[in-house]
Amino acid sequence: MRRLSGQEQAFAVMNHAFPMPAVIVLKFITGPSKNAIRQSLDHLQYRHPLLRASITKLKKEFWFQELNPIISIPLEEIIRKNDGHWLEVVNVEINKKVIDNPGPLLKSIYLTPSKEKEDTELLLVFHHSIIDSVSLIALINELLTYAGQIDKNITPVQSTTLPVAPIIESILPGDYKGIRLLFRLIPFMAKQLKDEIIYNKGSKKLKDLPIPLTSDNNVLTVVFTKETTTALIKWSRQNKISLNSLIAAAMLLAIHRRYYFGKDRLMRHMNFANLRPYLLPPVNGENEGCYVSMMRFMLFVAANSTVEEIAFSLHQKINKTLKKGDKFIFPLLSKMLIKQTLRKYNSRVSQTLFSYAGAIAIKEEYDNIKLSGVHSFVANNHLGPIISGFGKICFGKLSLDLNFLSDEVSGDKAVDFANEIKVIMEELILNK
Amino acid sequence: MNQQSLLQTVALQLGRKKVSIQDRFYEDLEAESIDMASLIVNIEEQTGLFIPEEALPGFKTIEDLHNYIQSHLNP
């Protein structure tokens, strides 16, 4: 089909070393029938080529390969025990590797009610190389539109199968290809190297945290009320700081307080940028694949830094990286970064990692289906950040899907940690 | 806020000499989400509207934004 891009390869390499799935949860007040989900998955698989693919290794590179014969997207059914059962299932699935060969690269689990009029949840477990937040939202819309129609005995219009979208490297703007890329790459790498030296020097002095030998993922969710969400949006607009930077700053500050006991230090943060609209040609959300830039930033957090100061500094750095065009270079080097991290096995890639999707274009109703929420968790590992998270606004409420490492933070400690992040943000709007 | 003043605001915000009503924010004008947030603040200050985050994914072109402003200023 096509070679995986640098970023997709990075996720594939990671998935071979540690579990690396993206687990999506659709929470229903009135869910679709199992039959409607089954048929909808078949429609999706017919339409989207990467849902009919496996990943194979050829001369040190990973390639998407069409399944022959096609293996249907698995749909497992579990009888729901209680309202928290879905989180238990997420915690099991997020600690399993995605079987990329023979594939397919998506499986699903439906938590069906044990009694009438009970909520239900559908889990979609993806290989991260085929999905990003833009294609995920398009896929959820398509899945639920099909399922809603099928449950009303309407046969969905069977559209033609989509072509495989091009690899990101082939559709980058001209300045990021061929010889011209070199002029961008050299100063970029020099800057990265300089940052690395400065960071390592600073970390040695402060004795960085030991890396756990291994660890499972431990996920939980924080949801803000509609009122708090609106207040946070207003705060971020008034202060000209993106909500993304504010949330990431709250995560960094919580770590700084708990792990570094408020000492001055350099910290690293990873953030994602959507590259789809800036490619030539732009890549539509209905095409699967991972068209993101995993950007890494280093910032100084002083003993008395406030969340506003950290957010402002991060906002400036992200803005500069986006404007300068470095967002196109990061994905070219992601595989190298991951391989280096795995080879050296002596440092974490960052303290925090955050992906923010903004307000997601998902409806509350699809025919008779009523959706109450969407959550998205991506696996982490002991060489990854201390906390990773996915943020979005869904039906007017900001929610953070956080992932801790169980060897470091588990049970009540994780709940306290998540609450601390929430409180840091809530205090901002109380103190304005 | 009329169409002309919106076009001027967008051009200024995105550092463009000229923009047209059908330009797409991301694909044609290479706007970043950070630019869009600043643009929204700018428009809110000029119009007194509060534009919820849920409306943002619907603003593909300047025209989409213009239609939104018109329908909310003159419901």
Side-chain angles (χ1 to χ4, degrees):
Chain A
M1 287 172 133
R2 73 161 166 83
R3 186 165 58 85
L4 274 72
S5 69
Q7 185 60 58
E8 292 161 349
Q9 301 250 359
F11 288 136
V13 168
M14 198 57 106
N15 183 61
H16 278 216
F18 310 108
M20 188 62 207
V23 183
I24 315 308
V25 183
L26 306 181
K27 299 186 77 183
F28 301 108
I29 299 164
T30 311
S33 66
K34 191 185 172 194
N35 171 52
I37 296 174
R38 175 69 272 157
Q39 286 190 48
S40 303
L41 290 171
D42 293 343
H43 279 287
L44 287 179
Q45 199 176 25
Y46 174 79
R47 200 155 171 265
H48 298 274
L50 294 189
L51 298 183
R52 302 190 303 272
S54 64
I55 293 177
T56 185
K57 202 171 183 184
L58 201 68
K59 292 181 186 168
K60 294 186 179 175
E61 301 270 25
F62 290 103
W63 290 73
F64 289 120
Q65 188 177 41
E66 181 130 30
L67 289 166
N68 188 14
I70 291 173
I71 302 168
S72 205
I73 296 168
L75 172 59
E76 186 189 342
E77 189 178 7
I78 296 178
I79 304 295
R80 197 175 183 274
K81 288 191 283 190
N82 51 49
D83 288 346
H85 191 182
W86 66 272
L87 209 52
E88 287 174 31
V89 182
V90 172
N91 270 319
V92 171
E93 291 303 321
I94 206 154
N95 289 305
K96 285 185 192 168
K97 285 183 184 180
V98 176
I99 301 165
D100 58 6
N101 205 328
L105 305 170
L106 165 64
K107 71 172 186 177
S108 58
I109 300 168
Y110 197 29
L111 274 78
T112 49
S114 53
K115 54 181 185 277
E116 262 186 55
K117 291 194 176 175
E118 196 180 33
D119 293 356
T120 56
E121 291 89 13
L122 176 66
L123 271 68
L124 301 170
V125 183
F126 289 92
H127 190 294
H128 202 343
S129 298
I130 65 163
I131 204 81
D132 55 22
S133 58
V134 178
S135 54
L136 172 67
I137 290 157
L139 199 84
I140 293 172
N141 271 308
E142 206 178 323
L143 172 78
L144 297 182
T145 303
Y146 288 149
Q149 290 173 350
I150 291 164
D151 272 341
K152 282 182 89 179
N153 291 321
I154 301 166
T155 309
V157 178
Q158 185 73 7
S159 49
T160 51
T161 182
L162 293 164
V164 182
I167 184 169
I168 199 169
E169 284 83 345
S170 69
I171 50 175
L172 286 170
D175 281 355
Y176 301 90
K177 289 202 284 197
I179 191 81
R180 278 194 285 172
L181 172 62
L182 275 183
F183 294 107
R184 300 256 180 185
L185 201 56
I186 293 166
F188 175 87
M189 289 189 76
K191 168 81 172 57
Q192 290 292 310
L193 189 65
K194 188 180 158 198
D195 278 1
E196 184 78 12
I197 293 167
I198 295 170
Y199 182 82
N200 286 339
K201 220 172 147 184
S203 300
K204 262 181 203 161
K205 236 190 267 175
L206 284 169
K207 286 194 178 163
D208 215 340
L209 284 178
I211 302 166
L213 289 175
T214 177
S215 188
D216 279 346
N217 294 272
N218 174 29
V219 303
L220 55 94
T221 284
V222 170
V223 182
F224 293 81
T225 63
K226 280 188 181 178
E227 294 71 31
T228 305
T229 302
T230 305
L232 285 167
I233 292 165
K234 285 184 177 170
W235 186 94
S236 71
R237 288 184 187 173
Q238 276 161 7
N239 290 278
K240 298 185 174 16
I241 294 172
S242 66
L243 206 46
N244 171 78
S245 300
L246 175 60
I247 300 165
M251 289 164 69
L252 279 162
L253 186 59
I255 288 175
H256 189 253
R257 284 176 181 171
R258 283 170 174 253
Y259 284 72
Y260 304 127
F261 310 105
K263 285 182 185 161
D264 291 0
R265 66 161 297 140
L266 290 165
M267 293 180 78
R268 277 169 167 168
H269 171 70
M270 291 178 106
N271 223 119
F272 287 87
N274 168 28
L275 295 181
R276 287 173 179 261
Y278 313 107
L279 300 169
L280 302 172
V283 179
N284 196 304
E286 65 181 6
N287 294 109
E288 267 67 55
C290 209
Y291 295 88
V292 296
S293 177
M294 189 168 72
M295 306 179 294
R296 185 160 74 159
F297 304 95
M298 186 173 75
L299 60 163
F300 177 73
V301 181
N304 55 355
S305 287
T306 63
V307 68
E308 295 100 309
E309 287 163 351
I310 302 169
F312 184 72
S313 163
L314 183 60
H315 181 88
Q316 299 286 87
K317 281 178 188 281
I318 294 175
N319 198 16
K320 193 176 166 193
T321 300
L322 296 175
K323 294 285 179 204
K324 207 173 148 197
D326 287 351
K327 63 181 175 183
F328 294 117
I329 301 177
F330 277 106
L332 305 177
L333 303 174
S334 285
K335 186 181 173 187
M336 195 174 80
L337 172 70
I338 297 299
K339 282 190 132 177
Q340 192 189 26
T341 306
L342 291 173
R343 194 167 46 240
K344 285 168 73 182
Y345 222 87
N346 65 354
S347 68
R348 321 178 77 126
V349 290
S350 63
Q351 273 90 0
T352 50
L353 177 148
F354 186 60
S355 176
Y356 182 61
I360 56 171
I362 300 269
K363 296 188 286 181
E364 289 187 73
E365 291 185 15
Y366 293 80
D367 289 306
N368 294 330
I369 298 170
K370 289 187 177 59
L371 197 63
S372 62
V374 177
H375 297 284
S376 174
F377 304 93
V378 177
N380 190 9
N381 60 68
H382 56 288
L383 299 178
I386 297 169
I387 312 178
S388 59
F390 179 86
K392 62 175 173 333
I393 295 172
C394 185
F395 310 145
K397 291 179 188 170
L398 172 67
S399 67
L400 308 179
D401 297 322
L402 302 171
N403 192 354
F404 298 92
L405 295 172
S406 57
D407 280 25
E408 288 180 334
V409 186
S410 61
D412 290 346
K413 272 189 184 172
V415 176
D416 285 350
F417 210 144
N419 276 337
E420 183 166 352
I421 295 166
K422 194 173 180 225
V423 168
I424 289 171
M425 292 169 65
E426 286 172 342
E427 278 175 354
L428 267 183
I429 51 176
L430 290 173
N431 297 337
K432 72 175 177 182
Chain B
M1 178 178 240
N2 61 28
Q3 186 172 310
Q4 197 51 40
S5 64
L6 176 62
L7 289 173
Q8 279 174 2
T9 303
V10 173
L12 198 67
Q13 186 70 55
L14 302 180
R16 298 264 168 172
K17 279 187 183 155
K18 207 179 165 193
V19 295
S20 77
I21 192 77
Q22 272 150 7
D23 279 345
R24 294 171 298 175
F25 285 110
Y26 300 101
E27 292 86 345
D28 300 325
L29 303 174
E30 297 175 352
E32 297 291 348
S33 51
I34 285 177
D35 297 320
M36 288 302 285
S38 304
L39 177 64
I40 295 300
V41 172
N42 206 328
I43 290 166
E44 285 181 340
E45 282 169 359
Q46 287 186 49
T47 60
L49 281 176
F50 171 68
I51 303 175
E53 291 280 293
E54 284 82 353
L56 305 190
F59 303 151
K60 309 279 186 220
T61 64
I62 302 177
E63 192 169 26
D64 294 333
L65 179 57
H66 179 249
N67 291 342
Y68 179 91
I69 295 167
Q70 291 312 309
S71 65
H72 286 77
L73 280 178
N74 311 302

